[in-house]
C-alpha cells in the first residue's frame, strides 16, 4: 500500500498561491507588491480547479503562480523598497518636525537608484531576453508614453519631470520612425491617430491622442499608471538606444527646435527649416551641431566618422541583381533602401501645410514618407516668408481658399492618410478642399469581416436573402398542406405524369426544397453527434450567426441609404 | 583639626544650657573621678603625663584658634576656681560626688574632652573624699534617706565669681535625660542641683507669655532657634557670639579662608569688558601653531577628497547628474543573441485588437447608428465605449474623453487580470458533423404516409400487424379493437370491449394488442385492464379461425386431463434470491396468479375465446409473444413480484417466474432466438437465461425512466431502449453494461421503438408527434466494426393532442412499411 497522501500538498494547491499569502511571504505592503508585479510583469493566474487551488474553499480570490512569487523573492528591488520605506520614515519625521533643511539634506544625499529612481535595467533584460520580444510588447509602452506626453505639465497630479521624460522619449521615437521611414499604416479614429510600423518583423501599433487637454477622471489611481510609466520609459530608452545605435546614430540625439531668424537668410539654413523642425543629430550631420562638452563632442565625432563611413559604404553597396537568363521571366525584385512602398511615397513632393491642419500628425507622416513639409504655422511669428516655389501640394482643412497657386494641388489631410494606407497616391480630386470626403477606412479592416467597398455583389446577396425570407414566410402558411402536396406530386410522378417546371417560381421552390432537404439531412446527421460536439457546433454557429447578422444589418443600412440618395 | 573643631562645637552646645555654669564642669569632674576610682588602673605617673599632654594640647588649641580663647579661658577660670574651692573646702567636692551618682548621657559622652581639660584637678579631690567621709561639716544638716542611710543636706554654696557671667546665674536643671515633657503637667520643670524645684517661667495660654508672643510675631529675636531651654523652660536663643562662631565654623568647613578682615562679597570687576584696555591682560605671546595650518585636518580632508574622487562618496547632486547625463546608455541586448523561448507557464499579454472602421473619424455611413435606435446606440456604447460618429473634416474632430480611462483600464488588465491559455478551435463547424452515408443510398425506408386508418374516436393506444402482413389490429381508448386491411385502409372488424358510458366501467383500458406469431392461428391477444383476452377475429376464413380456436381450447383439455398445472407461483429464474424456491419448498398453497376462464356468453358474442384474469389490481401494460406462439409474457408494472407473468397457451398455465419484485417493471421481451428474457425496470435492463434460471447481464442505461425495450431481431445481442427522458439507448451486450450510443433527438418523451424484422431499419416515436427512422448496420460478418447507425428520416404527420403524440409503432413483417398510431385517433401506414 502506498503512503497516504496528505491533502493540499500537490498539484493546484501547491502551484498556486493567493495574493494575501504572497504578500505575507514577501513581507511587503500591498502597494509595494503591486509595484513589484508591474515591474516584473507578474500577473494573476486562473487555476484549472479553483477549489483545489484554494484548498477546498470556494471564496473568490486572486491566485498567483507559486514560482512567480518565489522568483519575486530574489528580486533586488525588494530590498530597495524596504530601504525606501525607512528613508521615507526619516523624511516624514523631519518634515513633521519642521526641519526642512535636514529633510532636504537627506533627500539630496540619498544613494544612486534609491527612492523613486529605481534601476530597472535588469528587469527589462529579464522580461525581454531578446530584442524582438521587447519590440513585441512595445505597443502598450508607446501608448502610455504618448498619453503622458500629452498631459498638462501644470497639473499637480503628475510630476513635471515624468511628463517631460515621456515627451522626450516619444519625440525620439517619432524621430527614429521618420528618419527610417517606417510608417506603414495610419488610421485617424475618434480616439486618436493610430500608426503602425514594422521593425524587425514585429508590427508595432501605437496611438497618439489628439492634442487637446485630456479629461482627467478623478477616480483613477495614477500611482498605477505612473508605475507602469516608470517601467515603460526604461524599456523605451533601451529600445531606442538599440535602434539608434543599430542604425548608426548617436543616442541620445539632440533634437533641436529651430527658431526662424529673419536676419539669417542663409540658404542652407532655410532649407533645413523647410525640411523639418526636428532635426536628428545623427552621425552624418555632426559637423553642423555644437555639443555642450568638448569631450563628448570628440567622442561623438569619432563615432560619427565610423558611422559615416559605414553608412556610405552601405549606401553604395546596394547591389543590382541582374537576370542572367536569356528567357525573360518574372522580374527580379531589386533590393531597395526602404522596405515598404510608403517610405518613398512622397519622395518628390513638397507640402505646404495650412495653419488649420494639425501639424504634428501631417508633418510627421509626410516626413516619414520621404516628403518635404513647410508649415504655415512656423512662419507666424517671423517676418520670413515661406519659399513657395517648390511646393507641389497644399494641405488645407478649410472649406474655401481665397488664393490659389497654379501648379499646386490642393487637398484635404485625409488624402495623406488614405494614400499611405493604400501604398500609392490616391486621386487628389476626391479630396479637394470643401468636398465631401470618401469614408476613411481602417487599414486593419473590419472586426466582423464586412467590406464597405464591396458594392454590387452584396446588393444581390441582400436581395436574395430578403426574398428567401419572404419565401419562408409563405412556406409557413403553406406548411399544413405541404405533405399532401408532396404526396400528390409523388403519386403523379408514379403515374408517369411530370409537371412542367418552366415556371420560375416553381424553380425557386425546387431550389428551396433541395436546400431544405440538405438541411434536413444535416439535422439528421446531427442526431449522431455527441452532446459535447453538439454544444460546440451550436456555439460556433451562434457566433457565426451573430457576425452574419451584423453584416446583414450593415448591408441593409447601406442599401437604405443608397435608396434614399436615389 | 576638623574633628577637633567639631568636638569643640559639641562642647559648646553642651555648655549652652549654662555657659558659665561651674557646677556643670564640677559635676563632670566628679563623674570622671568616680570612674577613675572604680577602675583604679591609672597610676599617678601616667596621670601626670596625661596632664602634660593635655596642657600642651590646651595651649595648642589656644594658639591655633584665637576664637576659642575666651571659651578656653572660661574653662581655665572654672578650673582655677575649682582648685581654689577644693583647696578651701575639699569636702564640698566629695559631697557633690556622692550626691551626683547619676550621670547624664551628655556628660558621659564628653567625658574624654572634659578629662583632657580637667585631669589636672583630679588627684586631690579624690583623696579628700576618701579621707573626709565620716566628717560632718558645719552647716550641714543630717537627715536620712528613705532607706535609712545618712543624708547630708549641705548649705547653699555661694560661689564668688569674678566673671560677668555670674550675673545671670541660673539654677542648673538636673533632670538629666528624662524628657522635659514629663514635667508638662507640673508647675516646675525639674530640679536644681540641690533638688529644689525650678519653676516654669510664666506663660500665657498658648504656652508663651503674651508679650513674647507679640514680640515673636513682630520679629524673630536674634539667635532664635525655636527650641525650648531645658533648664529654664523658656525659649533657647543663641547669642550673637555663638552665631558668629557657627558662621566661622561653617566657613572653615567649606575650606574658605577665615580672614578676619576679608570681605566676603567684594565688588565685581569686569576685566574682560568691551572697553579696550591700554595694557594687555596677558602678556604671553601667541604660539606658532596658531599661525600654521593643521596637518591632522589636512589628512582628514584629503581622505574625504580621495573618497569623492574615487567615487566612494557620492552626493545627491552627482547622482542626479549621472542619471541625467545618461549613464544608462548602453546596449542592453548587446551580449547575447539567442531568442528567448517563453516558458509554458509564461503567458504574454495579448495585444489590443486593431481599430476597426467604426472608430474612424469619417466612417462609411452604414456604420452610423441612426438616432431612432436609441437602444442599439446604448448597446454599442456599452460594448465599445464610443459611438460611431462622422466628422466632415479633420479639424472638427474633438478630443476623446475616455483616453486616460482606457489606458488605465488597459494597465489594470495587464497586471490584475488573470491570464489563461485558451486553445481556440480553428475548425469548420461543418467538420464536426459526422460523415455518414447519404440516406438516398440506404433506401428503401418509409418516407411518407400512404394510408391513414381513421375510425377510432379516441387515442389509439396500441397496434400490431398480423404475421402475414395483411391485417392491422389497433386498440383504442374508445373501447374498441379494430382490424384493418392495410392495403385499402378498410376497417374489417371491430369489437367493443368496454363502454365508458357503462356504470361498471372500471377505468381499464386496452393497453396492448399482439398477434400470435404463428400465422396459422390468427389469435390476437388484447390486454384489457387486468384481463388478458385472446380473440380470433373473423377475418381470416374458417380454416384459420378454427385452427386458432382449437389451439386455445386445447388447453382446457390439458387441464381436465388431471395435470395439476394450475397457474401458480412456480419457482422461476430468479437467481438473485431464493424466496420463490423457499416458498415452493414449504409447499404453501398460494392463490393462483392467474385464472384461465372460459368466455361468458357476452364475451363469446365478442369473439373472445378465453380470458385470463391476472389477479392483481394493476392493468397489463405490455404483451409479448414468444416467437413460437405458445408462450406469452405480460407486464403489470406495479404488481411487485408477480409483475411479470408467463402464460402458456397450450397448457393454460401461468407462471410467475420471479419471486421478488425488482421495482416497477416497464417492459419485458423474449429474446428472438435464445431462451432468454429481458426485463426493463425504470433504469436498468436485466437479461435472464430462462433455462439456467440465471441473470446474464445487467445493463445500466443511464436513463431516468425507460419506456420500452426491443431486441434486435437478427443480431440478438443488441437491445435498444427508449426512455421518457427523450433518450434512445443502444446497448451492445458484448460491449459491457453501458450504452454503446445514447441519442437525444426527440424533443419529448419517446414512447416506443421497433426493429424491422428483416430490413436494417428501426424507428422510434414520441410525444413530439415525430417518428424517426434509422438505418442500422450490425456488420454481422465483420466483428471488428462497430454498429453503424444512420438517421434516415423524420416522419411528421401525427398531431399532438393533449401533449401526447405517437403512442405505438410496428413494422410490416416484410415490406419497408411502418405503422404508427397516435393520440389523434388515427393509425398511419408509412411507405417508401
Amino acid at each position: 500500500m502506498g503512503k497516504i497522501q496528505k491533502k493540499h500538498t500537490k498539484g493546484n494547491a501547491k502551484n498556486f498561491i493567493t495574493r494575501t499569502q504572497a504578500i505575507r511571504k514577501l513581507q511587503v505592503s500591498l502597494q509595494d507588491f503591486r509595484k513589484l508585479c508591474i515591474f516584473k510583469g507578474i500577473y494573476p493566474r486562473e487555476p484549472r480547479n479553483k477549489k483545489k487551488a484554494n484548498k477546498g474553499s470556494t471564496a473568490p480570490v486572486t491566485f498567483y503562480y507559486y514560482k512567480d512569487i518565489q522568483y519575486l523573492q530574489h528580486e533586488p528591488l525588494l530590498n530597495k523598497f524596504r530601504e525606501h520605506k525607512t528613508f521615507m520614515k526619516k523624511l516624514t519625521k523631519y518634515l513633521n518636525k519642521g526641519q526642512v533643511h535636514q529633510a532636504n539634506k537627506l533627500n539630496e544625499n540619498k544613494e544612486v537608484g534609491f527612492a523613486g529612481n529605481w534601476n530597472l535595467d535588469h528587469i527589462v533584460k529579464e522580461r525581454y531576453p531578446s530584442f524582438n520580444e521587447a519590440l513585441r510588447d512595445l505597443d502598450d509602452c508607446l501608448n502610455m508614453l504618448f498619453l503622458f506626453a500629452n498631459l498638462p505639465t501644470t497639473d499637480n497630479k503628475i510630476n513635471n519631470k515624468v511628463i517631460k521624460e515621456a515627451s522626450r522619449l516619444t519625440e525620439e521615437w517619432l524621430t527614429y520612425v521618420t528618419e527610417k521611414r517606417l510608417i506603414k499604416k495610419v488610421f485617424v479614429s475618434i480616439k486618436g491617430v493610430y500608426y503602425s510600423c514594422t521593425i524587425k518583423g514585429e508590427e508595432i501599433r501605437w496611438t497618439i491622442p489628439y492634442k487637446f487637454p485630456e479629461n482627467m477622471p478623478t477616480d483613477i489611481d495614477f500611482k498605477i499608471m505612473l508605475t507602469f510609466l516608470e517601467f515603460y520609459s526604461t524599456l523605451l530608452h533601451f529600445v531606442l538606444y538599440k535602434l539608434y545605435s543599430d542604425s548608426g546614430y548617436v543616442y541620445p540625439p539632440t533634437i533641436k527646435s529651430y527658431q526662424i531668424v529673419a536676419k539669417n537668410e542663409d540658404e542652407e539654413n532655410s532649407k533645413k527649416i523647410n525640411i523639418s523642425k526636428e532635426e536628428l543629430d545623427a552621425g552624418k550631420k555632426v559637423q553642423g551641431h555644437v555639443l555642450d562638452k568638448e569631450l563628448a563632442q570628440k567622442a561623438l565625432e569619432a563615432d560619427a566618422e565610423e558611422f559615416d563611413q559605414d553608412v556610405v559604404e552601405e549606401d553604395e553597396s546596394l547591389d543590382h541583381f541582374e537576370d542572367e537568363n536569356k528567357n525573360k521571366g518574372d522580374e527580379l525584385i531589386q533590393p531597395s533602401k526602404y522596405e515598404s512602398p510608403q517610405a518613398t511615397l512622397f519622395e518628390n513632393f513638397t507640402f505646404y501645410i495650412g495653419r488649420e491642419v494639425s501639424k504634428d500628425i501631417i508633418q510627421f507622416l509626410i516626413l516619414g514618407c520621404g516628403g518635404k513639409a513647410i508649415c504655415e504655422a512656423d512662419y507666424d511669428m517671423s517676418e520670413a516668408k515661406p519659399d513657395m516655389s517648390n511646393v507641389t501640394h497644399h494641405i488645407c482643412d478649410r472649406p474655401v481658399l481665397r488664393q490659389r497657386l497654379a501648379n499646386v494641388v490642393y487637398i484635404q489631410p485625409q488624402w495623406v492618410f488614405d494614400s499611405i494606407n493604400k501604398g500609392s497616391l490616391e486621386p487628389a480630386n476626391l479630396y479637394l478642399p470643401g468636398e465631401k470626403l470618401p469614408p476613411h477606412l481602417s487599414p486593419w479592416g473590419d472586426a466582423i469581416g464586412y467590406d464597405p467597398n464591396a458594392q454590387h455583389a452584396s446588393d444581390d446577396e441582400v436581395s436574395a436573402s430578403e426574398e428567401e425570407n419572404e419565401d419562408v414566410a409563405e412556406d409557413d402558411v403553406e406548411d399544413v398542406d405541404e405533405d399532401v402536396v408532396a404526396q400528390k406530386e409523388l403519386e403523379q410522378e408514379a403515374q408517369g405524369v411530370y409537371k412542367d417546371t418552366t415556371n420560375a417560381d416553381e424553380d425557386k421552390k425546387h431550389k428551396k426544397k433541395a436546400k431544405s432537404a440538405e438541411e434536413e439531412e444535416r439535422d439528421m446527421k446531427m442526431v449522431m453527434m455527441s452532446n459535447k460536439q453538439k454544444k460546440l457546433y451550436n456555439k460556433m454557429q451562434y457566433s457565426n450567426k451573430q457576425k452574419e447578422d451584423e453584416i446583414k444589418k450593415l448591408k441593409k443600412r447601406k442599401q437604405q441609404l443608397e435608396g434614399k440618395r436615389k | 583639626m576638623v574633628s577637633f573643631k567639631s568636638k569643640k562645637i559639641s562642647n559648646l552646645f553642651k555648655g549652652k544650657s549654662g555657659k558659665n555654669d561651674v557646677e556643670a564642669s564640677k559635676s563632670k569632674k566628679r563623674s570622671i573621678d568616680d570612674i577613675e576610682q572604680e577602675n583604679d588602673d591609672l597610676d599617678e605617673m601616667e596621670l601626670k603625663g596625661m596632664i602634660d599632654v593635655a596642657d600642651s594640647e590646651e595651649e595648642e588649641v589656644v594658639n591655633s584658634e584665637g576664637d576659642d580663647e575666651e571659651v578656653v579661658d572660661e574653662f581655665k577660670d572654672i578650673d582655677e576656681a575649682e582648685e581654689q574651692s577644693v583647696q578651701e573646702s575639699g569636702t564640698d567636692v566629695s559631697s557633690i560626688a556622692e550626691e551626683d551618682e547619676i550621670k547624664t548621657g551628655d556628660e558621659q559622652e564628653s567625658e574624654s574632652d572634659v578629662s583632657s581639660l580637667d585631669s589636672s584637678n583630679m588627684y586631690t579631690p579624690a583623696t579628700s573624699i576618701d579621707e573626709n567621709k565620716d566628717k560632718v561639716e558645719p552647716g550641714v544638716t543630717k537627715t536620712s534617706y528613705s532607706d535609712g542611710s545618712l543624708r547630708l543636706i549641705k548649705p547653699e554654696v555661694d560661689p564668688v565669681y569674678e566673671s560677668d557671667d555670674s550675673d545671670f546665674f541660673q539654677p542648673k536643671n538636673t533632670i538629666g535625660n528624662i524628657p522635659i515633657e514629663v514635667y508638662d503637667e507640673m508647675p516646675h520643670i525639674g530640679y536644681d542641683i540641690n533638688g529644689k524645684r525650678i519653676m516654669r517661667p510664666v506663660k500665657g495660654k498658648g504656652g508663651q507669655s503674651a508679650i513674647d508672643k507679640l514680640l515673636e510675631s513682630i520679629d524673630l529675636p536674634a539667635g532664635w532657634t525655636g527650641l525650648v531651654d531645658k533648664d529654664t523652660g523658656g525659649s533657647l536663643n543663641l547669642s550673637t557670639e555663638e552665631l558668629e562662631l557657627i558662621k566661622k565654623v561653617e566657613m572653615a568647613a567649606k575650606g574658605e579662608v577665615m580672614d578676619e578682615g576679608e570681605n566676603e562679597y567684594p565688588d565685581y570687576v569686569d576685566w574682560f569688558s568691551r572697553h579696550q584696555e591700554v595694557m594687555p591682560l596677558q602678556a604671553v605671546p601667541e604660539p606658532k601653531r596658531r599661525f600654521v595650518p593643521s596637518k591632522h585636518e589636512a589628512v582628514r580632508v584629503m581622505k574625504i577628497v580621495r573618497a569623492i574622487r574615487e567615487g566612494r562618496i557620492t552626493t545627491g547632486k552627482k547622482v542626479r547628474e549621472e542619471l541625467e547625463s545618461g549613464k544608462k546608455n548602453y546596449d542592453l541586448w548587446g551580449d547575447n543573441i539567442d531568442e528567448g523561448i517563453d516558458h509554458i507557464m509564461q503567458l504574454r499579454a495579448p495585444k489590443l485588437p486593431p481599430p476597426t472602421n467604426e472608430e474612424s473619424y469619417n466612417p462609411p455611413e452604414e456604420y452610423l447608428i441612426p438616432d431612432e435606435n436609441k437602444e442599439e446606440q446604448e448597446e454599442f456604447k456599452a460594448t465599445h465605449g464610443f459611438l460611431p460618429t462622422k466628422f466632415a473634416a479633420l479639424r472638427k474632430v474633438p478630443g476623446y474623453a475616455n483616453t486616460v480611462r482606457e489606458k488605465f483600464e488597459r494597465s489594470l488588465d495587464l497586471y490584475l487580470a488573470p491570464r489563461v491559455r485558451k486553445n481556440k478551435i480553428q475548425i469548420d463547424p461543418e467538420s464536426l458533423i459526422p460523415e455518414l452515408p447519404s440516406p438516398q443510398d440506404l433506401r428503401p425506408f418509409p418516407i411518407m404516409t400512404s394510408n391513414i386508418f381513421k375510425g377510432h374516436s379516441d387515442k389509439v393506444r396500441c397496434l400490431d400487424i398480423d404475421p402475414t402482413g395483411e391485417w392491422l389490429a389497433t386498440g383504442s381508448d374508445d373501447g374498441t379493437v379494430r382490424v384493418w386491411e392495410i392495403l385499402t385502409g378498410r376497417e374489417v372488424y371491430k369489437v367493443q370491449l368496454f363502454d365508458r358510458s357503462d356504470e361498471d366501467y372500471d377505468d381499464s383500458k386496452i393497453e396492448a394488442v399482439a398477434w400470435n406469431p404463428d400465422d396459422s392461428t390468427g389469435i390476437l391477444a388484447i390486454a384489457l385492464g387486468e384481463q388478458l383476452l385472446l380473440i380470433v377475429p373473423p377475418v381470416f376464413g374458417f380454416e384459420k379461425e378454427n385452427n386458432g380456436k382449437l389451439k386455445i381450447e386445447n388447453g382446457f383439455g390439458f387441464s381436465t386431463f388431471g395435470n395439476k398445472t394450475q397457474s401458480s407461483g412456480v419457482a422461476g429464474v430468479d437467481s438473485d434470491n431464493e424466496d420463490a424456491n423457499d416458498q415452493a419448498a414449504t409447499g404453501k398453497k398460494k392463490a393462483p396468479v392467474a385464472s384461465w376462464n372460459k368466455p361468458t356468453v357476452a364475451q363469446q358474442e365478442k369473439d373472445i375465446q378465453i380470458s385470463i384474469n391476472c389477479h392483481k389490481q394493476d392493468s397489463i401494460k405490455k404483451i409479448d409473444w414468444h416467437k413460437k406462439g405458445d408462450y406469452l409474457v405480460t407486464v403489470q408494472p406495479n404488481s411487485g413480484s408477480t409483475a411479470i407473468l408467463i402464460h402458456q397457451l397450450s397448457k393454460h398455465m401461468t407462471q410467475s417466474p420471479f419471486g421478488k419484485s425488482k421495482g416497477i417493471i416497464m417492459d419485458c421481451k423474449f429474446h428472438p432466438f435464445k431462451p432468454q428474457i429481458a426485463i426493463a425496470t425504470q433504469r436498468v435492463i436485466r437479461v435472464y437465461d430462462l433455462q439456467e434460471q440465471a441473470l446474464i447481464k445487467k445493463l445500466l442505461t443511464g436513463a431516468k425512466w425507460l419506456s420500452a425495450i426491443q431486441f434486435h431481431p437478427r443480431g440478438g445481442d443488441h437491445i435498444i431502449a427508449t426512455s421518457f427522458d427523450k433518450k434512445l439507448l443502444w446497448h451492445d451486450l458484448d460491449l459491457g453494461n453501458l450504452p454503446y450510443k445514447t441519442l437525444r433527438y426527440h424533443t419529448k418523451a419517446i414512447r416506443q421503438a421497433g426493429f424491422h424484422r428483416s430490413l436494417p431499419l428501426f424507428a422510434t416515436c414520441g410525444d413530439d408527434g415525430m417518428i424517426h427512422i434509422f438505418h442500422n448496420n450490425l456488420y454481422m460478418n465483420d466483428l471488428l466494426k462497430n454498429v453503424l447507425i444512420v438517421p434516415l428520416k423524420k416522419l411528421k404527420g401525427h398531431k399532438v393532442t393533449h401533449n401526447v403524440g405517437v403512442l405505438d409503432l410496428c413494422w410490416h413483417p416484410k415490406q419497408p412499411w411502418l405503422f404508427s398510431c397516435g393520440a389523434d385517433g388515427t393509425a398511419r401506414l408509412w411507405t417508401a
Side-chain angles (χ1 to χ4, degrees), chain A residues 157 215-222 224-225, chain B residues 402 404-405 408-409 412:
Chain A
K157 250 183 200 169
N215 177 24
M216 302 284 265
T218 47
D219 57 335
I220 275 180
D221 186 3
F222 271 92
I224 293 170
M225 291 179 88
Chain B
N402 287 338
V404 178
R405 186 178 297 282
F408 175 69
E409 271 159 15
L412 283 189

Side-chain angles (χ1 to χ4, degrees), chain B residues 170-386:
Chain B
Q170 274 184 334
K172 165 96 170 121
N173 200 346
T174 58
I175 55 168
N177 57 359
I178 294 168
I180 193 86
E181 288 81 30
V182 175
Y183 294 93
D184 277 352
E185 302 288 301
M186 312 289 185
H188 60 283
I189 56 164
Y191 305 91
D192 65 1
I193 193 110
N194 291 322
K196 285 186 180 164
R197 286 178 178 174
I198 300 169
M199 300 310 289
R200 192 183 294 274
V202 183
K203 275 179 189 173
K205 270 188 182 175
Q208 257 179 324
S209 67
I211 295 165
D212 284 347
K213 242 186 179 176
L214 179 70
L215 286 172
E216 259 179 34
S217 70
I218 291 163
D219 191 15
L220 281 177
W224 180 86
T225 58
L227 299 170
V228 178
D229 193 346
K230 206 179 182 187
D231 292 341
T232 59
S235 65
L236 180 64
N237 288 354
L238 293 180
S239 65
T240 47
E241 292 84 20
E242 280 167 340
L243 286 172
E244 193 104 333
L245 187 64
I246 290 165
K247 201 171 167 189
K248 278 181 181 167
V249 169
E250 278 176 346
M251 280 177 75
K254 282 176 192 167
E256 284 167 24
V257 187
M258 288 179 292
D259 196 359
E260 195 65 23
E262 197 182 309
N263 191 357
E264 279 175 51
Y265 305 106
D267 290 336
Y268 177 69
V269 180
D270 194 5
W271 293 112
F272 302 96
S273 69
R274 63 195 160 83
H275 303 293
Q276 194 153 17
E277 302 294 330
V278 180
M279 296 297 286
L281 289 170
Q282 256 185 325
V284 186
E286 289 266 312
K288 187 189 176 184
R289 62 174 182 277
R290 302 263 164 88
F291 306 101
V292 175
S294 163
K295 280 181 183 170
H296 172 251
E297 273 179 14
V299 168
R300 292 192 65 180
V301 169
M302 271 318 288
K303 211 175 173 182
I304 296 166
V305 167
R306 229 173 283 129
I308 292 171
R309 276 187 196 151
E310 285 168 13
R312 275 182 283 126
I313 297 175
T314 49
T315 58
K317 236 183 187 177
K318 207 176 176 189
V319 170
R320 251 171 276 134
E321 276 170 15
E322 272 172 10
L323 285 175
E324 277 160 22
S325 70
K327 209 186 173 187
K328 302 198 293 180
N329 286 333
Y330 64 92
D331 190 356
L332 193 66
W333 294 279
D335 48 347
N336 70 338
I337 312 108
D338 66 324
E339 286 281 311
I341 299 158
D342 280 354
H343 185 256
I344 183 105
M345 285 304 281
Q346 198 178 352
L347 313 169
R348 297 235 172 242
K351 286 193 170 195
L352 281 170
T356 55
N357 289 340
E358 290 132 342
E359 226 177 277
S360 170
Y361 87 102
N362 180 19
E365 265 179 271
E366 57 263 35
Y367 282 101
L368 304 174
I369 302 165
D371 284 338
E372 298 95 74
N373 304 357
K374 281 273 187 270
E375 268 181 33
E376 204 186 334
Q377 278 186 348
E378 272 165 27
E379 200 187 318
F380 193 93
K381 208 165 184 191
T383 48
H384 295 76
F386 64 91

Side-chain angles (χ1 to χ4, degrees), chain A residues 92-128:
Chain A
T92 44
K93 200 173 163 190
Y94 279 135
L95 290 175
N96 288 341
K97 282 180 177 176
Q99 298 168 333
V100 182
H101 176 67
Q102 251 97 332
N104 263 338
K105 225 169 138 188
L106 188 73
N107 195 30
E108 275 174 16
N109 291 333
K110 64 192 172 188
E111 280 173 41
V112 187
F114 188 79
N117 289 320
W118 319 110
N119 194 6
L120 301 175
D121 304 8
H122 64 288
I123 292 179
V124 173
K125 187 71 204 292
E126 273 168 13
R127 283 181 66 174
Y128 308 109

